[in-house]
Amino acid sequence: SQQGEEDPQALSIQEGENATMNCSYKTSINNLQWYRQNSGRGLVHLILIRSNEREKHSGRLRVTLDTSKKSSSLLITASRAADTASYFCATDNRYQGGSEKLVFGKGTKLTVNP
Amino acid sequence: DTAVSQTPKYLVTQMGNDKSIKCEQNLGHDTMYWYKQDSKKFLKIMFSYNNKELIINETVPNRFSPKSPDKAHLNLHINSLELGDSAVYFCASSQVGTISYEQYFGPGTRLTVT
């Protein structure tokens, strides 16, 4: 069943602006991950935040996690046209046997206009 | 060198046919996955293998049969293809341990059933 729910579904901004995407989920998690998917390509991992972390940075990316609200946000600062892609959050539901089961949201389609 | 590769990239076939998609990873990961992404970009896990052993099987019709000849390969065979099988299929791999790791995705196989 679907776990993450991204908001907004689509976002269009100008180059240089910041882009914020939100993700809400339903059950307890071990960690939450954000992935990027360029059109016609596979998903690329961006950042992972553990359930005991509140904020994490990676370059122009900032991720926050609020486990009490079961929500996360991804902020991309100083956006570039190359950031145009779909962004997905994924929650880690640990499966029996230790294998990881990632449950993905529907994604936010970000368009950065030059 | 490509970390996770899939063949073919595109597959167009008629209803009722049987087809296979191959996946290989050169990352030395123990765990591999198959995902299905529908036309609305919703990504859902189908199977997961850990060291050639099936770990996750997510209510997928038994027309879909994964096979892992070794831990670097995970193939997907689909019998009696139906129109609803049209989607993009992604292979992924990760190194699963006591903590969670990111997943590495292949470029996808776009399957069109006519």
Side-chain angles (χ1 to χ4, degrees), chain A residues 6 21 31-38 42-48 61 63 74 76 83 85-92 100-108, chain B residues 33 35 43 92-94 100-105:
Chain A
E6 286 92 342
M21 289 159 269
N31 66 64
L32 186 143
Q33 303 180 32
W34 284 91
Y35 287 79
R36 183 188 74 227
Q37 184 180 31
N38 290 83
L43 279 76
V44 174
H45 179 262
L46 294 175
I47 197 164
L48 180 155
L61 305 180
V63 169
L74 170 67
I76 304 174
D83 294 329
S86 291
Y87 292 82
F88 295 87
C89 69
T91 52
D92 166 23
E100 216 179 56
K101 175 183 167 182
L102 284 186
V103 181
F104 285 82
K106 290 182 180 176
T108 292
Chain B
Y33 311 81
Y35 288 88
L43 193 71
S93 72
S94 71
S100 304
Y101 292 89
E102 63 266 30
Q103 294 187 11
Y104 291 78
F105 283 76

Side-chain angles (χ1 to χ4, degrees), chain B residues 32-48:
Chain B
M32 297 183 72
Y33 311 81
W34 277 111
Y35 288 88
K36 178 180 179 180
Q37 187 173 44
D38 63 23
S39 58
K40 295 182 179 177
K41 300 293 186 185
F42 181 48
L43 193 71
K44 190 174 189 304
I45 190 166
M46 300 171 68
F47 301 104
S48 171

Side-chain angles (χ1 to χ4, degrees), chain B residues 19-32:
Chain B
K19 290 294 178 185
S20 292
I21 307 172
K22 294 185 176 182
C23 178
E24 176 181 0
Q25 54 97 1
N26 62 6
L27 297 167
H29 290 161
D30 290 331
T31 305
M32 297 183 72

Side-chain angles (χ1 to χ4, degrees), chain B residues 51-70:
Chain B
N51 271 321
K52 302 193 296 177
E53 181 184 349
L54 180 65
I55 300 296
I56 297 174
N57 184 343
E58 282 285 299
T59 59
V60 178
N62 57 15
R63 297 183 295 105
F64 291 78
S65 53
K67 282 193 172 47
S68 182
D70 54 63

